[in-house]
Amino acid sequence: MAKTAIKPVGIDLGTTFSVIAHLDAAGRPATILNAEGDIITPSVLFFDGDLVIVGKEAVKAAIHEPELSVAFMKREMGSSVFSRVINGKKYPPEVLQSYVLKKLKADAELKLGQVKPAVITVPAFFDDPRRKGTQDAGQIAGLEVLNVINEPTAAAIAYGVQEGFLNSKGESERTERVLVYDLGGGTFDVTLMEIDGKSYKAIATDGDVYLGGVDWDHRIVDVAATAFLKKHGGKDPRKDPSALTRWLHEAEEVKRALSAREHTNFTCDFDDKKLRVAITREQFEELTADLLERTRFTVSSLISEAGISASKITRLLLVGGSTRMPMVKKMLQEEFGRAPDQSLSADEAVAHGAAIYAGLLLATGQGATPTVTVRNVNSHTLGVLGIEKSTGRNVNQVIVPRNTALPVSKVSRFQTAKAGQRSVVANVIEGGDLSGNNATRIGKCTIKDLPPDLPAGTPVDVAFAYSDSGRLTVRARLPTLGIGAVLVIERASGLSEQQVKQWGDVVGSSKGPLELNED
Ligand code: ADP
Ligand code: MG
């Protein structure tokens, strides 16, 4: 197939489920079914010797051998400490994620022929290392990642394009302020977007990387386990990995049933002892009220942070499988006095938006006029860890405040600490408090080989260029000396370029995994 004939895809790389979509002959987004014939593919792996199985089959196998299975690796993306050990080998999260992408790619190729250029979605609140990790996972899987796009932005694009508030030129007739509430399996994400004409602008974003449907499942397991222990005594089923996997599976079924019915039963066994407990929707809602409340709190603080009154929001968009729980709609209805919009497919919207965006990127790359423009905000403050001269304390010098419109370039001035300093280091951090506590270390930017007798207090300019996809470039300069050393950001976590390439060979050929050295 000629290179120009390769059509791009959009991939929603979810915590629990992933989806791949493309643009059909008429240019409309369409989901590509996986080899099992499903729209969604569980983001779950099972290591069967050298073979890595992904999806539904992996979920089944995990029940019997949880130690050979991996799920929820998106939560660990870009982390420097997480490395899952399977069969005695270490796998970084990027590599685990790349197996999911590889399966989606291979299944799509059955239908489309070669699949290469892709846009992959990320939660809006993903920080730079997590975005970089996602791009690396794509590269390891053999994809050419055109860009990453925020999930709520993708959902809003799919919504704008599909749901007909755009005119024949693809522009909205009036300014729409859309609140995207995305509650998935393991993450919660809320974003306020403004759609004006063909421009999609994020205004503010917030989220919780540790809140999703699985937390609702755990509450059901807790109640069932308590009932089990009361009835039979003995060992706690939650302490047995295989039983816990099975019980969580049953809890998820119960939860889904309660989205459709008022009551159902939880039936499971452990240690040859059976359990059957009735559970009503009302009970379930009471059990999980605090989880739902956390999402309500995030929504209302986001709106107040954006400085917009709730009445100015024109649409409420629900995305993510967990928004099928009636309690979510009820809560948003109470909060906004209006029913949320459910015209989007909660499972497919994000992948569809990514496919539209991928098509757009490729077309603009080939000289076409963009039909949609996307503007994002950064979800975390970005700064440099400096030292206060008078106290010697660490200070987080914020260079780009949170929720700043992207792309953005900012420069901040620092100075050398002592006379004769031969190098300067700018430690780049994301998030964190005024002293830099709880911040993510992104990496450091170093200027080496400074002239020998530099006085203390020599100015150092640190410039941040934050791209519209939320990726960061840092440059440091000594303006008085005009030192324009070539500076590369040395990453504090994630994989090096070389590791990405090596893992690409491993994942591509299914050879045994590489070793990772201790830090
Ligand atoms: P992610 O984007 O995090 O991978 P999804 O958006 O695919 O997640 O949502 C998956 C979550 O949605 C799971 O926790 C699943 O149990 C939940 N879910 C799917 N359908 C329903 C339903 N009918 N009722 C309640 N929860 C559901
Ligand atoms: Mg999702």
Side-chain angles (χ1 to χ4, degrees), residues 210-465:
Y210 285 106
L211 184 63
V214 69
D215 300 301
W216 272 256
D217 303 343
H218 272 284
R219 293 291 166 86
I220 298 177
V221 169
D222 287 344
V223 170
T226 310
F228 181 89
L229 291 172
K230 194 168 160 208
K231 186 172 172 202
H232 301 294
K235 204 174 148 202
D236 190 331
R238 288 169 295 187
K239 299 266 158 63
D240 179 291
S242 171
L244 178 62
T245 311
R246 256 181 325 115
W247 282 48
L248 274 170
H249 208 68
E250 170 67 11
E252 200 202 345
E253 299 279 313
V254 163
K255 176 184 73 175
R256 284 174 191 255
L258 290 176
S259 289
R261 293 198 296 279
E262 290 290 339
H263 52 85
T264 189
N265 293 306
F266 180 100
T267 327
C268 230
D269 59 82
F270 177 57
D271 258 0
D272 295 329
K273 290 171 213 137
K274 281 202 167 37
L275 177 77
R276 184 183 152 93
V277 262
I279 175 161
T280 66
R281 185 189 286 170
E282 203 184 332
Q283 274 174 323
F284 176 53
E285 293 185 351
E286 271 166 31
L287 282 175
T288 56
D290 60 313
L291 300 175
L292 188 69
E293 182 52 32
R294 273 165 68 186
T295 74
R296 185 211 297 264
F297 179 79
T298 307
V299 168
S300 61
S301 57
L302 181 87
I303 292 172
S304 60
E305 192 178 328
I308 280 180
S309 77
S311 62
K312 289 270 162 52
I313 291 169
T314 55
R315 289 166 200 265
L316 297 173
L317 262 194
L318 297 189
V319 187
S322 298
T323 60
R324 294 205 181 90
M325 294 189 292
M327 65 177 92
V328 171
K329 285 161 218 155
K330 253 193 298 187
M331 182 273 284
L332 290 172
Q333 171 101 41
E334 267 170 39
E335 194 75 10
F336 291 93
R338 155 163 39 106
D341 198 303
Q342 289 177 263
S343 49
L344 273 188
S345 157
D347 294 323
E348 297 165 286
V350 170
H352 285 191
I356 297 169
Y357 190 59
L360 178 87
L361 287 179
L362 222 57
T364 11
Q366 290 161 358
T369 320
T371 48
V372 166
T373 62
V374 173
R375 294 209 61 185
N376 285 323
V377 289
N378 59 324
S379 48
H380 306 267
T381 61
L382 272 173
V384 167
L385 205 54
I387 299 157
E388 196 169 57
K389 198 176 166 194
S390 52
T391 59
R393 277 203 321 243
N394 277 343
V395 173
N396 178 0
Q397 165 93 34
V398 172
I399 300 186
V400 185
R402 170 183 142 76
N403 287 330
T404 302
L406 304 181
V408 65
S409 298
K410 288 265 179 80
V411 184
S412 196
R413 177 152 293 182
F414 297 82
Q415 56 183 12
T416 54
K418 47 181 197 273
Q421 202 170 318
R422 298 304 305 273
S423 67
V424 288
V425 184
N427 278 304
V428 181
I429 54 175
E430 202 163 28
D433 65 11
L434 293 174
S435 314
N437 296 321
N438 302 322
T440 304
R441 265 199 60 203
I442 296 186
K444 57 186 182 191
C445 195
T446 313
I447 310 182
K448 287 187 186 140
D449 303 326
L450 296 178
D453 27 282
L454 214 54
T458 304
V460 182
D461 284 344
V462 179
F464 280 16

Side-chain angles (χ1 to χ4, degrees), residues 86 99 128 139 201 208-209 218:
I86 297 154
Y99 282 108
D128 177 83
Q139 205 184 326
K201 198 166 88 185
D208 196 333
V209 75
H218 272 284

Side-chain angles (χ1 to χ4, degrees), residues 12-18 40 43 74 151 182-187 212-214 217 252 255-256 259 319-325 346-347:
D12 171 4
L13 184 59
T15 313
T16 45
F17 292 100
S18 297
I40 57 177
S43 309
K74 184 169 175 178
E151 284 156 15
D182 181 352
L183 187 60
T187 50
V214 69
D217 303 343
E252 200 202 345
K255 176 184 73 175
R256 284 174 191 255
S259 289
V319 187
S322 298
T323 60
R324 294 205 181 90
M325 294 189 292
D347 294 323

Side-chain angles (χ1 to χ4, degrees), residues 97-118:
Q97 282 284 61
S98 79
Y99 282 108
V100 177
L101 291 170
K102 191 184 156 204
K103 146 99 175 156
L104 296 172
K105 178 179 186 286
D107 287 3
E109 282 177 341
L110 297 175
K111 183 164 175 187
L112 303 180
Q114 198 194 354
V115 166
K116 205 155 174 78

